[in-house]
Amino acid sequence: MTKTAPRPEIDDIDLDALRATYAHERDRRLRPDGQAQYRRAAGAFGYYAKDPYTAWQEREPRTDHVEVLIIGAGFGGLLTAARLRDAGVESIRLMDEAGGVGGTWYWNRYPGIHCDVEASVYLPLLEELGTVPSWRYAPGEEIRQHAVAIAEHYGLLHDALFQTRATGLTWDDDDDGHWTVETDRGDRMTARFVITSSGTLTQPKLPGIPGIETFRGHTFHTSRWDYDYTGGSADGGLTGLADKRVAVVGTGATGIQVIPHLGRDAQELVVFQRTPSTVDVRDNRPTDPDWAASLRPGWQRERMDNFIAVLSGEPVEESLIDDGWTATAALQRKVVSGNVDTTVPDDERERLEELQDAVTMNRIRARVDAVVEDPTTAAVLKPWYRYMCKRPAFSDHYLQTFNRPNVTLVDTADHGGITRMTEHSVVVGDTEYEVDCVIFATGFEAGVSGVVSGTLPVIGRDGRSLLEAWGRGPRTLHGFMTNGFPNLFQLGPIQNATSVNFAHILRDQAEHIAAVVEQARTVDAVRVEPRAEAEEAWVQTVARTARDVTAYQATCTPGYYNGEGTRSMTGASYSGSPLQFRRLLVDWRANELHEALVTAEAAEITTAGASR
Ligand code: NDP
């Protein structure tokens, strides 16, 4: 953030008063049970996680060998597979619990679903596929279809295993080394390289509302939308709800997108809100064909790099994507990777950031007053916290929905959420709301990849488990590889860069992994494995450079960003800019990758040395 002369809207801000309001609003939402308030969509609640989109298909267990097995067929897995194909790898198998590719875009098909990061920089491999998105912010179905098109373009579907969950990875040093991969379908196959890209927000989460299991009406989670019940499609037209009283629980990024459709199509809609989201202008529009025709080769990479440079505080001549994300870039760097202005003393920068934050939040709160006609409803819809305490949302239809006569907003903040459910109703305090259907827009368990949660046990060299190796926190080189676990790569935010354009991060990760595998094949290495010292140096780098957001997140209203008010995310990811990180990886590949490549000869010498 650069030093600028104070502006009038800043002079009027009373930071002490604002902090007191934020603290009050946070305190009335803090729950003693923190993260334990939620239930997994498993066991008796497994119904909520069932796939409504693809019929179950029986198949014989597999016991064959592939060169590369990729767990997770979302954009991370697809991009890695695509880059490996480019590098000449033929034997690639994608595996996913879902019935098809797309990851989050496979599961989330709720009405109104869009990506609120501009499609030209979010959708991967647009130039490779010769496509330009139809809208500035693409609808979910177009994104899912794009994922399918990538899989088809790179020939990834014929050997893929869907409806399959990996249940174990075990390294075996025999025959130059390979992984044995076990699954819930009885497979026991082998792979030379395993890549996990199983996402961070995948497992649907339900509130542990007393009596939730007694509800006799219809109910489902937004990530498993029941179109058989609602009718219509992701574009709307939910005719099945025309005579229904519908409750929706949750007003996060998903709730914001789905609620306008429910408001329009349900006979009655009751929105149960605990914390309001920030809802900024979205300004979606169809892609201008003249603009599309004017694009020159290299346009997507240039646009993606420009967007991430602006977000992470790197200099650009011109900001190509001028939107709600670029406008608030400096505020996002509080919790995602990016440069901070070190020319300003820390406390002065903090003060300027806090003022800038207040200006943004005042504008967002003023928009609520401008749009929502009933002042009591408007008051409840105003967010009182700093901008990055929760994920920012954008919509030109959400706030307007509360002007409809068939829509009621129920504020549950003072009750910690919904009080209880009965056979036919949702109860808040003493008030009972009788409904036919309850839709949970209550999000996902954060950071739960099977590798981290332990549902996918990983056993490396010498029978050592990954979770044991990570007993005192993740240990990786650049977030991808861990000593003792050869030929295994992980995609994700741990000890890696992060951004609101996570598809960009996945692209860089995929390119890095593919380049490493390509080099391993070129020199005929049997193992790729970071040296313990290199791994330790990276763990220390991440810890030393981590931006301390503890104080910031301690002021935040509870949510998954701060473990429901119980902890902060400090130190989990690389704090510098993603472009800086990419340069660092390119440098590492040029100068240090050879140290991580173990040839058959070297492996033999090590084994012989160890046995002496
Ligand atoms: P969130 O976790 O963000 O929101 C869950 C909602 O459920 C919150 O409003 C929460 O309230 C509410 N809730 C939870 N428990 C209760 C309860 N007991 N009573 C009442 N309300 C309750 O999930 P989302 O699915 O909205 O979003 C998850 C993530 O998915 C986003 O952060 C984003 O990363 C991604 N996403 C991205 C989109 C995009 O366009 N790129 C679109 C949609 C989602 P409270 O806030 O008080 O906890």
Side-chain angles (χ1 to χ4, degrees):
M1 184 178 291
T2 49
K3 260 194 212 175
T4 48
R7 294 180 293 174
E9 74 264 33
I10 288 185
D11 292 340
D12 291 343
I13 291 169
D14 179 346
L15 277 184
D16 287 335
L18 199 56
R19 285 184 200 135
T21 305
Y22 287 1
H24 170 73
E25 292 292 329
R26 166 195 157 89
D27 290 350
R28 75 188 184 105
R29 289 179 172 86
L30 271 177
R31 287 175 51 137
D33 50 359
Q35 285 175 299
Q37 68 182 279
Y38 296 105
R39 287 185 182 186
R40 293 199 80 183
F45 294 89
Y47 153 79
Y48 286 97
K50 227 173 143 271
D51 184 348
Y53 314 120
T54 308
W56 183 255
Q57 293 189 358
E58 291 299 338
R59 66 168 174 83
E60 290 300 311
R62 301 287 276 267
T63 52
D64 54 353
H65 177 82
V66 288
E67 183 167 7
V68 181
L69 184 111
I70 301 177
I71 300 173
F75 280 139
L78 288 169
L79 276 159
T80 311
R83 291 308 181 212
L84 286 167
R85 274 278 193 268
D86 288 343
V89 182
E90 281 176 13
S91 170
I92 302 172
R93 175 172 293 160
L94 287 173
M95 190 162 96
D96 203 296
E97 283 190 76
V101 300
T104 194
W105 303 103
Y106 175 89
W107 292 112
N108 287 280
R109 305 189 192 192
Y110 56 81
I113 184 168
H114 279 69
C115 181
D116 58 18
V117 174
E118 192 176 289
S120 68
V121 296
Y122 180 83
L123 267 68
L125 305 173
L126 285 171
E127 284 193 74
E128 286 81 347
L129 268 71
T131 315
V132 177
S134 62
W135 284 81
R136 183 177 191 198
Y137 300 102
E141 183 56 17
E142 181 172 333
I143 303 175
R144 191 180 70 79
Q145 291 293 347
H146 184 66
V148 174
I150 292 173
E152 284 169 350
H153 182 85
Y154 289 93
L156 299 169
L157 292 175
H158 70 279
D159 200 25
L161 292 181
F162 296 116
Q163 300 179 323
T164 303
R165 186 167 60 83
T167 53
L169 294 179
T170 309
W171 175 255
D172 188 338
D173 264 323
D174 290 351
D175 304 328
D176 285 349
H178 60 258
W179 286 96
T180 298
V181 184
E182 290 170 278
T183 76
D184 63 351
R185 305 291 292 258
D187 306 306
R188 196 179 159 80
M189 51 207 153
T190 54
R192 188 170 169 221
F193 296 98
V194 171
I195 295 160
T196 69
S197 179
S198 43
T200 53
L201 290 170
T202 53
Q203 186 65 31
K205 190 175 76 178
L206 293 167
I209 302 169
I212 184 172
E213 68 286 352
T214 62
F215 183 66
R216 293 284 159 261
H218 201 71
T219 176
F220 56 91
H221 187 273
T222 44
S223 66
R224 307 288 189 275
W225 195 269
D226 188 349
Y227 283 106
D228 285 345
Y229 179 79
T230 65
S233 68
D235 294 330
L238 312 172
T239 49
L241 300 181
D243 58 350
K244 301 283 189 304
R245 296 159 303 176
V246 177
V248 61
V249 184
T251 53
T254 300
I256 301 305
Q257 294 187 336
V258 85
I259 284 166
H261 286 279
L262 294 174
R264 197 172 57 205
D265 294 339
Q267 182 187 62
E268 239 180 82
L269 176 68
V270 191
V271 178
F272 293 92
Q273 173 193 277
R274 192 163 62 180
T275 313
S277 283
T278 56
V279 188
D280 211 339
V281 172
R282 167 125 107 177
D283 193 20
N284 200 6
R285 51 178 181 262
T287 301
D288 174 358
D290 292 338
W291 175 80
S294 74
L295 296 169
R296 295 285 160 262
W299 70 267
Q300 189 180 25
R301 189 165 284 266
E302 183 194 2
R303 222 169 152 76
M304 286 175 82
D305 286 357
N306 181 277
F307 183 59
I308 216 157
V310 173
L311 294 188
S312 50
E314 293 218 4
V316 291
E317 272 178 24
E318 181 198 356
S319 173
L320 298 177
I321 317 274
D322 197 15
D323 71 354
W325 292 114
T326 56
T328 56
L331 305 180
Q332 292 156 44
R333 293 199 284 275
K334 269 284 169 212
V335 298
V336 289
S337 299
N339 300 333
V340 291
D341 183 359
T342 48
T343 61
V344 184
D346 283 355
D347 46 357
E348 175 62 2
R349 190 183 62 242
E350 284 288 334
R351 199 184 68 83
L352 288 171
E353 278 175 1
E354 201 174 350
L355 285 169
Q356 193 57 50
D357 199 297
V359 170
T360 302
M361 291 304 288
N362 281 344
R363 178 175 59 72
I364 284 167
R365 288 187 283 262
R367 181 169 182 242
V368 180
D369 279 331
V371 174
V372 179
E373 288 155 13
D374 172 41
T376 312
T377 306
V380 175
L381 285 166
K382 282 186 205 164
W384 292 98
Y385 46 80
R386 285 184 66 176
Y387 188 65
M388 283 305 285
C389 284
K390 284 200 175 275
R391 191 190 194 275
F394 305 86
S395 174
D396 298 333
H397 309 289
Y398 175 71
L399 295 171
Q400 291 79 350
T401 301
F402 295 95
N403 294 332
R404 302 184 68 100
N406 65 328
V407 177
T408 307
L409 177 66
V410 178
D411 180 10
T412 70
D414 282 329
H415 305 276
I418 287 161
T419 308
R420 63 194 163 86
M421 284 170 71
T422 69
E423 281 192 17
H424 301 290
S425 50
V426 177
V427 184
V428 177
D430 295 330
T431 313
E432 206 164 323
Y433 300 85
E434 208 171 294
V435 291
D436 302 303
C437 169
V438 178
I439 300 170
F440 289 101
T442 45
F444 305 88
E445 291 185 43
V448 182
S449 83
V451 174
V452 178
S453 71
T455 57
L456 173 54
V458 181
I459 309 295
R461 264 193 299 117
D462 308 322
R464 188 152 187 241
S465 95
L466 186 74
L467 280 192
E468 185 191 320
W470 285 16
R472 293 163 68 193
R475 300 192 58 76
T476 71
L477 177 60
H478 306 141
F480 301 109
M481 296 183 276
T482 296
N483 177 264
F485 299 85
N487 296 5
L488 175 69
F489 301 86
Q490 300 188 51
L491 283 88
I494 294 173
Q495 295 181 351
N496 207 291
T498 56
S499 166
V500 296
N501 188 10
F502 203 63
H504 182 130
I505 299 293
L506 292 173
R507 183 199 74 182
D508 289 354
Q509 296 185 343
E511 287 179 358
H512 178 71
I513 292 171
V516 172
V517 170
E518 185 178 13
Q519 186 60 13
R521 296 172 97 233
T522 304
V523 303
D524 225 5
V526 289
R527 292 206 308 259
V528 186
E529 181 182 355
R531 288 181 304 113
E533 307 80 57
E535 176 185 296
E536 173 62 17
W538 184 249
V539 173
Q540 293 304 328
T541 300
V542 172
R544 196 180 57 248
T545 55
R547 207 164 304 138
D548 190 355
V549 293
T550 316
Y552 178 84
Q553 287 190 335
T555 67
C556 282
T557 190
Y560 76 86
Y561 276 18
N562 65 355
E564 301 301 329
T566 60
R567 61 177 166 78
S568 90
M569 300 195 301
T570 302
S573 297
Y574 174 73
S575 63
S577 113
L579 292 176
Q580 222 169 30
F581 184 61
R582 192 168 76 201
R583 291 192 286 268
L584 181 151
L585 293 179
V586 170
D587 211 46
W588 178 84
R589 293 203 298 271
N591 300 307
E592 292 175 65
L593 168 56
H594 64 95
E595 294 174 9
L597 299 176
V598 184
T599 59
E601 205 181 15
E604 238 168 63
I605 294 167
T606 316
T607 315
S611 60
R612 268 200 293 273

